[in-house]
Amino acid sequence: QVQLVESGGGTVQAGGSLRLSCAASGRAFSALVLAWFRQAPGKEREFVGAERWSLSGSITYYSDSVKGRFTISRDLAKNTVYLQMNTLKPEDTAVYYCAAVPGRSGSIRYSSSDEYDYWGQGTQVTVSS
């Protein structure tokens, strides 16, 4: 069992920055694939990015809409994954969720919400124009 708790959401003006945090407990943190999704009102849940950590290092994946602006990082000592969001746009307004699934040797469809077993409660991000 894994518990995920997001924090760091809020309201920011366009062009500003926010850093979201997702604290995990219940499983070996380093063994989890961690992802961020978002959902705007009236929209389907959208993939933002994901990170897979291994002994050889981490690999990250980002959607085209956030690539170059958002960065995922992981602090193993704190069992926390971060989403640094820069140059925010009004279109980024959504509830942001972190998600996790135990890593496996096979490939993972990182952008598919169906791949993830555990979800946080979400944190609201509002970007004003």
Side-chain angles (χ1 to χ4, degrees):
Q1 186 176 354
V2 175
Q3 295 82 44
L4 303 172
V5 180
E6 303 101 331
S7 62
T11 301
V12 64
Q13 292 184 343
S17 299
L18 283 174
R19 189 177 76 163
L20 306 183
S21 300
C22 176
S25 63
R27 291 286 301 273
F29 187 68
S30 61
L32 297 172
V33 177
L34 294 161
W36 289 93
F37 289 78
R38 65 187 183 185
Q39 188 166 23
K43 302 288 187 178
E44 294 184 346
R45 189 161 296 185
E46 176 189 16
F47 174 73
V48 176
E51 182 195 48
R52 185 168 192 167
W53 186 89
S54 69
L55 292 175
S56 60
S58 64
I59 300 175
T60 53
Y61 306 85
Y62 300 98
S63 70
D64 290 338
S65 63
V66 307
K67 190 176 300 181
R69 299 189 297 122
F70 292 8
T71 303
I72 296 172
S73 61
R74 184 185 309 211
D75 188 331
L76 294 177
K78 296 182 178 180
N79 286 2
T80 299
V81 64
Y82 302 97
L83 180 66
Q84 178 67 47
M85 305 184 294
N86 298 325
T87 318
L88 283 162
K89 306 174 181 179
E91 302 90 272
D92 296 318
T93 296
V95 176
Y96 283 71
Y97 300 89
C98 63
V101 62
R104 59 179 183 264
S105 60
S107 62
I108 295 176
R109 296 176 294 135
Y110 297 100
S111 64
S112 175
S113 61
D114 293 338
E115 290 280 11
Y116 298 91
D117 298 325
Y118 306 102
W119 293 82
Q121 83 288 353
T123 185
Q124 176 71 47
V125 172
T126 301
V127 183
S128 62
S129 60

